[in-house]
Amino acid sequence: KNPKEFPEYSEEELLEAARKYAINSSDLNPKGIISILSAANSLFIVGLYDQALENYEKALKVAPHPPGNVKLNYALALTYLKMYNKAYQLASELSENEQYFGGSQMGALGIRTFIDMEEGRSNDARKVAERILKIDGSINFKKLRRAMKTFIIMDRSFMEKLADTLEEAGIPS
């Protein structure tokens, strides 16, 4: 809930309600990977990052071969929090495993490109960007952003930085 739309509640009350609902929803189906992922995404969106990360980890443990969006959302959350080593590992698993393809693979390659640029590996980033363009010659930031599942990021300045960084690596805006 957007605090501006519900002025009768403080932001703290809204965050607490969001946390309770997200945790309760994952508890309703504790072995349901999609329920756990939804809870993690909800917690991340409202800024409860530690609890979100716990739920992403929980989702990975529930299924030996989780759907691509579990690793992708987790990798993006870690990227946002500048936990680049783990994020890069997850994105690499997604982009290099034949089990994952299409949007998950593209999103993971986008995350890898961003992290490579952030960590000063611009040559590696450009190679990954070339790979993205080879897979889809019509790719631009808008399409890649959808593949990266950026709906969990509410920070506009981060999104601008993501767009600028990927453009610098060779992804058209």
Side-chain angles (χ1 to χ4, degrees), residues 122-140:
S122 58
N123 287 340
D124 292 342
R126 285 185 181 85
K127 287 177 187 169
V128 178
E130 287 172 14
R131 185 169 163 200
I132 293 169
L133 291 165
K134 189 175 180 182
I135 293 169
D136 182 351
S138 69
I139 198 82
N140 58 29

Side-chain angles (χ1 to χ4, degrees), residues 1 10 13 16 24-25 29 31 36 38 55 71 90 94 107 134 136 147 158 169:
K1 294 181 178 181
S10 71
E13 289 171 313
E16 182 57 27
N24 288 344
S25 70
N29 190 1
K31 298 276 187 220
I36 298 166
S38 296
N55 275 273
K71 287 185 176 184
L90 287 167
L94 271 174
K134 189 175 180 182
D136 182 351
F158 176 81

